[in-house]
């Protein structure tokens, strides 16, 4: 099934010249003594899918909701289509559509009723409701109550409500969290279709595969700061090493853990293997990053033979966004 | 206009589809009325206290006083020092009855006995004037009964058959109130309070907690439109529920309706709006969504007991009276009761209407100041 295939698109003006529909400058949010968004700057270009990728608590939701005008920035500003989110909020609301991370709808209304209700909130012309819901694969649920929808159907309804007034910019906050793989793929297709229809999409996620598949550009966030911002391909190739070799050592064997006294010595010697650029130890696995996979692998096996180490779970893979994140922050993107 | 209509429709649909809530909001008041109205019957709420004045000072009046004294289990009377002061106490509800033996009472009775009044034996010669509190149904009933019995006794002592001494209740002579008559307006007032105050506070808080309001906040929808739709839907819904219970109380259970339906409806609407506004204040003030329900309960629970729903407000201790007079539920229950029981017109209940209106205005201003989407 050829779903969720991103078609490579040329931006109309190309590269950094493309028009910025969202402009974020020095955006800051504090809660009590904590600064949870720390003066970030970025632009979102018209017509792109802009992915905010980061672990839970990175500040993705806070950032999006400051742009949507739902939270007041303590410093800095955001502009959408030229309108300031604080002083021209009414204008901003007409051009954006949002799907909030934590939202529920009136359970006892039908899909059609709630869509019609949301459509009535806008002064601008809205799209015909039935074709809209059909395009969200809810055509057979028009008269079904919201309560009886599945998780994926609810998310698709939330997206329908976000685009009922044909907004220029759509904000999707973790739209696939908690969905099964099938429902995620369906949703990805919908998001890509919206982009192809010309909408600008700001999407947050903590799934790197989702960001890689959907986003034209990824803004990697951690602890309220932007760690990196580029296309997925550029982010990954920015890693000097392009492949990773992972393996485990049996417990009890020397250097089974990073805190083992001999671990440091082991790491030093692993680093001397041909082609190895960097070494990580995480989740009980050793990871060697290399720009010469075959030579490093041969070297590793020779080294293991020589030292009498029994390598288990040996595997190689290409570097991922996860590796980029670890390199930038020293921490894993996934939840522990 | 469009969002207002859509939101009103949505709220009415939510009401209509929430069968459970719909059932219980009607079921409870009806059960209350049934239980209290049937089982409490005419039960008097303890002894009635009051004053007597003997303006006659004759032998006959002494006979009446002695007969009244025999009723002291239900009728505790003292001699009044001053008629005006006694009436004032009656108005304040600290005493419930004032029995006056008018000057010339003895002579009239004598005349009747000696036959000068023969032929008109169906209209008693001497009459006692009894002032009583019309709004305190059960107590007034026992007061009138006791006085009538005393009068009867004297009559019997004087002649065999025709009553020569009778009770002349002042106020509404045909008034014959039971506890049911008392409790129906009380229950309806309670219903209006809890449906609106607790209903609004609970629902808005839960919508806020579930992010429903935030989602609306991200659209151009104005808070005033949202609130207006809420008010409209609830006015229709809670207003008709109160009306249904009123109609059941009157036509099924047989509570009296002596006043204007229009005025009664006016009080239902006024009460609905006032308590809704207070509900919005609580929803706005609650720090966390979970606290709105308990706060609403904390506010409404004492009002149940202070506001003349189950007991007459005059049963409250004197030091509570200022509080009782200030809270809106008192004025709603009194207003409904006056219209239904006594048939009061706007001329007699304008104070109640005004106080409720004042609460309504103040509460809506406060509610619009404290309303927040999240
Ligand atoms: N209303 C709030 N009050 C206090 N802290 C908050 C609030 N909202 C978010 N935070 C904190 O801000 C940080 C960023 O949260 P959030 O923007 O939700 O992250 P993300 O969406 O990336 O998971 C977290 O540490 C969170 O605990
Ligand atoms: Mg989030």
């Amino acid at each position: 099934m050829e779903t969720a295939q991103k078609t490579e698109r040329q931006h109309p003006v190309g590269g950094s010249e493309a028009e910025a529909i969202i402009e974020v400058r020095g955006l800051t949010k504090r809660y009590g003594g904590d600064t949870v968004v720390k003066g970030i700057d970025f632009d979102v270009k018209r017509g792109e899918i802009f992915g905010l990728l980061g672990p839970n608590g990175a500040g993705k939701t806070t950032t999006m909701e400051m742009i949507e005008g739902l939270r007041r920035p303590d410093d800095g500003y955001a502009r959408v289509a030229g309108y300031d989110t604080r002083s021209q909020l009414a204008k901003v609301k007409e051009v954006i559509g949002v799907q909030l991370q934590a939202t529920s709808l009136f359970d006892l209304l039908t899909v059609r009723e709630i869509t019609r209700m949301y459509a009535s909130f806008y002064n601008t012309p809205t799209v015909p409701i039935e074709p809209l819901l059909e395009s969200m694969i809810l055509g057979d649920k028009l008269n079904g109550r919201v309560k009886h929808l599945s998780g994926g159907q609810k998310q698709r309804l939330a997206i329908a409500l976000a685009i009922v007034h044909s907004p220029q910019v759509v904000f999707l906050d973790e739209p696939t969290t908690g969905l099964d793989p099938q429902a995620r793929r369906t949703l990805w297709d919908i998001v890509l279709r919206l982009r192809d229809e010309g909408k600008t999409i700001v999407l947050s996620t903590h799934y790197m595969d989702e960001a890689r598949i959907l986003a034209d550009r990824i803004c990697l966030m951690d602890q309220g700061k932007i760690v990196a911002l580029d296309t997925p391909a550029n982010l990954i190739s920015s890693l000097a090493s392009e492949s990773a070799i992972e393996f485990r050592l049996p417990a009890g064997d020397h250097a089974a853990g990073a805190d083992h006294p001999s671990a440091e010595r082991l790491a030093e010697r692993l680093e001397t293997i041909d082609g190895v650029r960097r070494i990580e130890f995480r989740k009980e696995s050793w990871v060697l990053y290399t720009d010469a996979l075959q030579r490093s692998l041969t070297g590793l096996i020779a080294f293991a033979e020589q030292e009498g180490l029994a390598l288990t779970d040996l595997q190689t893979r290409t570097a991922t966004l996860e590796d980029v994140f670890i390199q930038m922050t020293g921490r894993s993107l996934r939840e522990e | 206009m469009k969002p207002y209509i859509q939101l009103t429709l949505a709220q009415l649909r939510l009401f209509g589809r929430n069968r459970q809530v719909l059932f219980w909001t009607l079921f409870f008041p009806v059960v209350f009325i049934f239980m209290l109205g049937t089982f409490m019957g005419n039960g008097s709420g303890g002894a009635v206290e009051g004053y007597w004045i003997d303006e006659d000072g004759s032998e006959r009046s002494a006979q009446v006083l002695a007969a009244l004294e025999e009723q002291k289990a239900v009728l505790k009377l003292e001699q009044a020092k001053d008629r005006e002061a006694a009436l004032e106490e009656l108005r304040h509800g600290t005493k419930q009855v004032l029995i006056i033996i008018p000057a010339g009472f003895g002579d009239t009775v004598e005349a009747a006995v000696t036959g000068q009044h023969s032929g008109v034996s169906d209209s008693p010669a001497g009459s006692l004037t009894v002032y009583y509190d019309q709004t305190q149904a059960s107590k007034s009933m026992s007061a009138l009964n006791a006085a009538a019995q005393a009068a009867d006794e004297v009559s019997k002592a004087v002649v065999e058959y025709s009553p020569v001494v009778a009770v002349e209740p002042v106020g509404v002579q045909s008034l014959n109130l039971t506890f049911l008559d008392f409790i129906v307006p009380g229950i309806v007032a309670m219903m209006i309070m809890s449906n609106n105050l607790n209903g609004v506070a609970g629902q808005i808080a839960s919508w806020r907690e579930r992010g429903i309001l935030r989602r609306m906040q991200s659209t151009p929808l104005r808070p005033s439109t949202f609130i207006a739709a809420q008010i409209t839907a609830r006015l229709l819904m809670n207003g008709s529920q109160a009306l249904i219970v009123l109609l059941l109380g009157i036509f099924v259970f047989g509570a009296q309706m002596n006043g204007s339906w229009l005025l009664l409806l006016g009080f239902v609407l006024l009460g609905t709006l006032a308590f809704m506004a207070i509900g919005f204040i609580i929803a706005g003030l609650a720090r966390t969504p979970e606290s709105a329900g308990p706060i609403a309960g904390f506010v409404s629970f004492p009002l149940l007991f202070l506001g003349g729903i189950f007991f007459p407000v005059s049963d409250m201790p004197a030091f509570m009276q200022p509080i009782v007079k200030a809270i809106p539920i008192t004025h709603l229950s009194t207003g409904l009761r006056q219209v239904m029981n006594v048939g009061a017109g706007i001329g007699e209940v304008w104070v109640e209407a005004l106080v409720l209106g004042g609460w309504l205005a103040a509460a809506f201003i406060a509610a619009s100041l404290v309303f927040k989407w999240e």
Side-chain angles (χ1 to χ4, degrees):
Chain A
M1 192 169 56
E2 281 293 274
T3 56
Q5 282 298 312
K6 187 166 55 173
T7 49
E8 281 306 324
R9 259 168 47 110
Q10 287 295 294
H11 287 291
V13 194
S16 56
E17 296 296 306
E19 181 200 352
I21 193 163
I22 297 178
E23 217 181 296
V24 171
R25 295 291 178 272
L27 208 59
T28 303
K29 184 73 192 173
R30 297 184 196 93
Y31 285 116
D34 289 343
T35 308
V36 301
V37 174
K38 299 169 178 160
I40 58 176
D41 308 278
F42 62 83
D43 283 350
V44 176
K45 295 172 199 165
R46 185 182 288 278
E48 74 174 344
I49 298 180
F50 186 85
L52 280 169
L53 175 66
N56 274 336
K60 304 181 296 293
T61 298
T62 308
T63 301
M64 289 176 89
E65 293 192 353
M66 282 192 285
I67 304 172
E68 293 156 6
L70 288 173
R71 304 192 198 191
R72 267 186 92 80
D74 291 310
D75 217 337
Y77 67 87
R79 285 205 194 112
V80 182
Y83 301 121
D84 185 85
T85 56
R86 270 199 270 190
S87 56
Q88 294 165 296
L89 185 55
K91 290 279 192 193
V92 172
K93 283 176 174 180
E94 297 278 359
V95 296
I96 65 168
V98 309
Q99 171 254 313
L100 299 175
Q101 181 173 8
T103 200
S104 56
L105 302 162
F106 296 121
D107 282 346
L108 294 175
L109 294 187
T110 68
V111 169
R112 190 204 305 269
E113 285 165 354
I114 199 153
T115 312
R116 192 172 290 149
M117 183 180 90
Y118 271 89
S120 78
F121 297 163
Y122 294 91
N123 307 315
T124 45
T126 52
V127 301
I129 282 168
E130 283 181 26
L132 168 70
L133 290 170
E134 266 154 31
S135 75
M136 291 295 141
I137 324 170
L138 291 168
D140 56 340
K141 296 285 172 190
L142 285 175
N143 298 315
R145 295 204 180 160
V146 173
K147 174 161 87 168
H148 298 131
L149 297 182
S150 71
Q153 290 166 337
K154 272 187 188 149
Q155 276 309 21
R156 298 205 295 275
L157 174 59
I159 294 178
L161 300 182
I163 60 172
V164 68
H165 57 299
S166 345
Q168 299 180 40
V169 186
V170 184
F171 291 86
L172 305 175
D173 197 353
E174 305 221 6
T176 67
T177 299
L179 299 189
D180 63 62
Q182 181 62 47
R184 289 183 76 197
R185 289 190 166 272
T186 311
L187 212 103
W188 288 349
D189 284 340
I190 286 174
V191 172
L192 291 171
R193 200 176 66 216
L194 289 181
R195 194 265 318 265
D196 292 341
E197 285 166 9
K199 295 197 192 311
T200 308
I201 294 162
V202 179
L203 173 139
S204 83
T205 181
H206 63 267
Y207 299 119
M208 53 181 178
D209 57 337
E210 182 163 293
R212 185 174 47 77
I213 289 168
L214 294 182
D216 294 304
R217 288 194 307 147
I218 294 175
C219 175
L220 209 51
M221 279 191 84
D222 186 45
Q223 298 184 327
K225 284 184 302 217
I226 295 176
V227 183
L229 200 175
D230 213 329
T231 62
N234 284 350
L235 281 177
I236 292 169
S237 63
S238 74
L239 279 181
S241 334
E242 289 182 346
S243 304
I245 304 170
E246 280 192 38
F247 61 92
R248 288 170 182 244
L249 292 173
D253 205 338
H254 76 299
D259 47 352
H260 195 280
S262 58
E264 214 163 304
R265 261 178 290 134
L266 178 66
E268 276 169 21
R269 287 201 284 154
L270 284 170
E271 229 160 24
T272 64
I273 293 174
D274 197 12
V276 170
R277 289 303 193 80
R278 213 159 47 82
I279 296 190
E280 294 274 348
F281 182 83
R282 62 174 198 258
K283 290 186 188 154
E284 289 151 28
S285 288
W286 288 92
V287 186
L288 310 186
Y289 292 99
T290 173
D291 50 8
L293 179 61
Q294 195 174 337
R295 272 186 289 138
S296 298
L297 198 56
T298 320
L300 172 65
I301 287 167
F303 175 78
E305 293 278 284
Q306 183 191 325
E307 296 291 313
L309 296 173
L311 305 180
T312 59
D313 294 338
L314 179 66
Q315 51 178 309
T316 67
R317 54 180 173 79
T318 51
T320 63
L321 286 169
E322 170 82 8
D323 299 309
V324 177
F325 190 80
I326 288 164
Q327 190 190 25
M328 302 275 188
T329 66
R331 291 179 310 107
S332 171
L333 191 57
R334 287 180 291 227
E335 279 167 81
E336 301 301 324
Chain B
M1 208 54 192
K2 236 173 42 181
Y4 165 76
I5 292 168
Q6 283 293 328
L7 279 166
T8 307
L9 270 177
Q11 178 65 71
L12 288 174
R13 287 180 176 128
L14 293 180
F15 273 134
R17 291 173 192 173
N18 206 336
R19 295 276 153 72
Q20 291 249 331
V21 171
L22 206 57
F23 175 73
W24 290 111
T25 45
L26 283 176
F27 182 76
F28 265 127
V30 172
V31 165
F32 259 131
I33 290 174
F34 178 73
M35 291 201 316
L36 295 173
T38 311
F39 300 126
M40 304 278 287
N42 281 323
S44 63
V48 180
E49 290 176 36
Y51 290 115
W52 56 265
I53 297 174
D54 185 0
E55 291 175 344
D56 192 43
S58 67
E59 199 183 317
R60 292 298 181 196
S61 66
Q63 252 182 335
V64 171
L65 288 178
L68 283 173
E69 176 69 16
E70 277 172 33
Q71 302 284 335
K72 68 169 178 261
V74 283
L75 204 54
K76 276 197 199 136
L77 297 180
E78 301 166 45
Q79 183 168 14
K81 293 187 182 64
D82 172 54
R83 183 188 172 121
E84 272 316 304
L87 278 174
E88 190 59 26
E89 277 196 61
L90 199 62
R91 270 181 224 117
H92 279 117
T94 44
K95 291 283 189 282
Q96 290 89 41
V97 64
L98 168 64
I99 298 178
I100 297 176
I101 306 172
F105 173 81
D107 293 343
T108 334
V109 175
E110 289 312 332
V113 173
T114 52
Q116 289 176 15
H117 238 87
S118 59
V120 281
S121 54
D122 51 327
S123 72
S127 53
L128 303 174
T129 311
V130 180
Y131 291 93
Y132 66 98
D133 185 348
Q134 295 165 338
T135 59
Q136 295 194 40
S138 63
K139 290 201 167 181
S140 303
M141 281 314 296
S142 19
L144 288 177
N145 283 339
Q149 210 160 327
D152 242 25
E153 241 163 79
V154 177
S155 291
K156 281 188 190 128
V158 176
V159 292
E160 266 307 304
Y161 295 116
S162 63
V164 281
V165 177
V167 170
E168 186 184 299
V170 171
V172 183
Q173 293 211 320
S174 62
L175 211 57
N176 180 16
L177 297 170
T178 64
F179 191 66
L180 179 77
D181 297 317
F182 174 83
I183 204 69
V184 168
I187 295 288
V188 170
M190 173 184 82
M191 200 179 152
I192 290 174
M193 173 174 77
S194 75
N195 281 1
N196 289 288
L197 193 148
N198 303 20
V200 167
Q203 182 177 71
I204 299 299
S206 128
W207 284 0
R208 193 184 295 132
E209 179 185 17
R210 291 160 59 202
I212 288 178
L213 296 188
R214 255 175 135 251
R215 180 61 187 81
M216 291 186 186
Q217 190 193 0
S218 70
T219 74
L221 175 68
R222 284 193 310 259
S224 55
T225 310
F226 172 80
I227 293 177
Q230 275 289 307
I231 291 170
T232 312
R234 283 181 179 275
L235 205 55
L236 285 173
M237 200 63 202
N238 297 345
S240 21
Q241 283 186 339
L243 224 62
I244 288 172
V245 173
L246 272 175
L247 293 175
L248 284 176
I250 292 168
F251 294 110
V252 176
F253 292 99
Q256 292 186 36
M257 172 56 189
N258 295 317
S260 139
W261 281 95
L262 205 62
L263 197 55
L264 193 67
L265 191 66
F267 269 104
V268 168
L269 295 185
L270 210 51
T272 301
L273 287 171
F275 284 107
M276 216 188 303
I278 297 171
F280 271 111
I281 298 181
I282 293 172
L285 285 183
R287 277 281 168 83
T288 62
E290 306 81 53
S291 64
I295 294 177
F298 185 76
V299 169
S300 60
F301 192 68
L303 294 190
L304 281 183
F305 295 98
L306 293 176
I309 287 174
F310 300 111
F311 336 102
V313 291
S314 57
D315 280 8
M316 295 289 147
F319 73 93
M320 294 294 278
Q321 291 296 331
I323 300 176
V324 168
K325 292 275 146 57
I327 56 182
I329 185 71
T330 311
H331 298 279
L332 180 58
S333 61
T334 309
L336 292 174
R337 200 163 277 147
Q338 289 281 352
V339 173
M340 287 179 70
N341 291 358
V342 189
I346 187 69
E348 289 129 292
V349 289
W350 64 272
V351 176
E352 277 74 24
L354 197 70
V355 175
L356 273 178
W359 267 95
L360 168 62
F364 262 114
I365 292 169
S368 61
L369 292 179
V370 300
F371 181 81
K372 48 183 191 267
W373 289 110
E374 54 181 316

